[in-house]
Amino acid sequence: MAKAKTQQPHTGKSPTATPTAHATYHACYQRFAPLAADLPERDVEVCRADVRIAFANVKRGVQAACADLARIRRALPELPLDDVLALPDLGRALIFAATRITAKPASSREIDAKLKIVIELREPMLTLAETLAKRGLLPKDLVAEIRAGSGKYDLASDGMALAHLYAEHAGALRGKHPFTQEELDQLREASEWLLDTLTPEGARRPAAKQRGEAEKMRDRLWTLLVRRYADVRKIAYYFHGDAFEDVTPKLLSRLSSSAAEDESEEVEAEGDGSEDADGGGDRGGAVEQPASPPSP
């Protein structure tokens, strides 16, 4: 069984311009989890927040405070602006971590549904990949390794490897296969979900252990979010003075019900294999807010 080629680890920083489209919640989680894991244990804050409210306020705060990036860079050259611009994606990572806590263990029906997607797409894609490999368009050894092996976990690994293979060689394969991008995405997402849910032996992971690990990562991502959001409020204070809270709300400031519903639509529409995007955590609990920014 071949392993898909891994990409270089992300630095956790966003591009200098705000992107028009955001990455999947799972991709954001993979991006920020290593940074959160590096936080000293003594500095980690327990998250008792409604993370969806925090996420909505983060997006609003970054959008309002960072409207003029060039001006901010001139006025506050030492402030980590790239980290600030990455905050919405960090919020998505936090949402994803929270769903891993609140989600129930996957049922046999859910596993079978994902396996059905992988099985239906794997064989035609793999058969064609073998033909393309014979013609020198795909690496023969890699395709042969994908064909080898058996079992549910191996099927999921095959699906992820095939989706990656077709994506990596998209240029050489253009016009030479019938599979749509939607089918490739379905295969990748179902395979990743199965790899997250199954052990190599095919059994579901113990829910208690999974929950404990997920809670720790949620707390670490929350701590990272709190630290970085303090810089957003510094920007707002520098340019707006005492009116900075009108620009950058506190992380747990409650929106009107209609505004909260608008902000939660993105979470509810996210289709990255999350079982439930309800935000998780104990709702309404008090947490330590970032300190008020110092006078400029």
Side-chain angles (χ1 to χ4, degrees), residues 174-249:
R174 187 171 290 113
K176 295 180 173 63
H177 69 79
F179 309 115
T180 65
Q181 186 60 50
E182 181 181 4
E183 288 174 319
L184 292 169
D185 289 342
Q186 286 178 341
L187 178 62
R188 175 185 56 79
E189 291 168 6
S191 299
E192 289 182 353
W193 185 90
L194 286 166
L195 290 172
D196 275 346
T197 305
L198 303 174
T199 67
E201 293 75 30
R204 277 167 282 175
R205 295 174 181 171
K209 180 180 179 182
Q210 187 180 48
R211 179 180 175 86
E213 293 172 352
E215 284 178 335
K216 290 178 182 178
M217 182 52 66
R218 176 207 58 189
D219 293 345
R220 287 179 170 275
L221 288 166
W222 168 253
T223 302
L224 196 60
L225 186 82
V226 170
R227 287 184 171 189
R228 291 191 177 187
Y229 192 67
D231 287 329
V232 180
R233 287 164 66 81
K234 288 177 184 177
I235 294 171
Y237 189 87
Y238 185 91
F239 291 108
H240 300 279
D242 291 339
F244 77 98
E245 287 199 345
D246 296 333
V247 179
T248 52

Side-chain angles (χ1 to χ4, degrees), residues 134-166:
K134 290 178 181 178
R135 299 197 174 197
L137 295 174
L138 291 174
K140 290 183 180 180
D141 57 342
L142 184 57
V143 174
E145 288 182 20
I146 295 175
R147 172 64 76 182
S150 62
K152 295 179 180 180
Y153 193 87
D154 192 77
L155 278 173
S157 298
D158 288 350
M160 186 178 67
L162 278 168
H164 177 81
L165 189 67
Y166 276 88

Side-chain angles (χ1 to χ4, degrees), residues 23-55:
T24 65
Y25 282 44
H26 189 196
C28 292
Y29 179 84
Q30 291 178 316
R31 171 183 173 183
F32 288 100
L35 296 174
D38 286 340
L39 292 173
E41 184 66 35
R42 64 180 180 277
D43 295 338
V44 176
E45 300 180 22
V46 175
C47 176
R48 297 187 177 91
D50 182 332
V51 296
R52 288 204 305 180
I53 294 294
F55 178 45

Side-chain angles (χ1 to χ4, degrees), residues 41-113:
E41 184 66 35
R42 64 180 180 277
D43 295 338
V44 176
E45 300 180 22
V46 175
C47 176
R48 297 187 177 91
D50 182 332
V51 296
R52 288 204 305 180
I53 294 294
F55 178 45
N57 287 328
V58 162
K59 290 195 294 181
R60 287 171 177 266
V62 171
Q63 182 179 21
C66 300
D68 190 339
L69 300 182
R71 187 183 179 197
I72 296 170
R73 292 189 191 279
R74 288 195 303 269
L76 301 169
E78 296 185 5
L79 188 138
L81 185 56
D82 287 343
D83 287 351
V84 167
L85 296 176
L87 269 166
D89 278 352
L90 177 53
R92 294 179 180 101
L94 176 61
I95 293 284
F96 185 85
T99 65
R100 292 166 72 98
I101 298 170
T102 59
K104 297 177 181 178
S107 66
S108 297
R109 180 178 296 180
E110 290 174 309
I111 292 174
D112 289 343

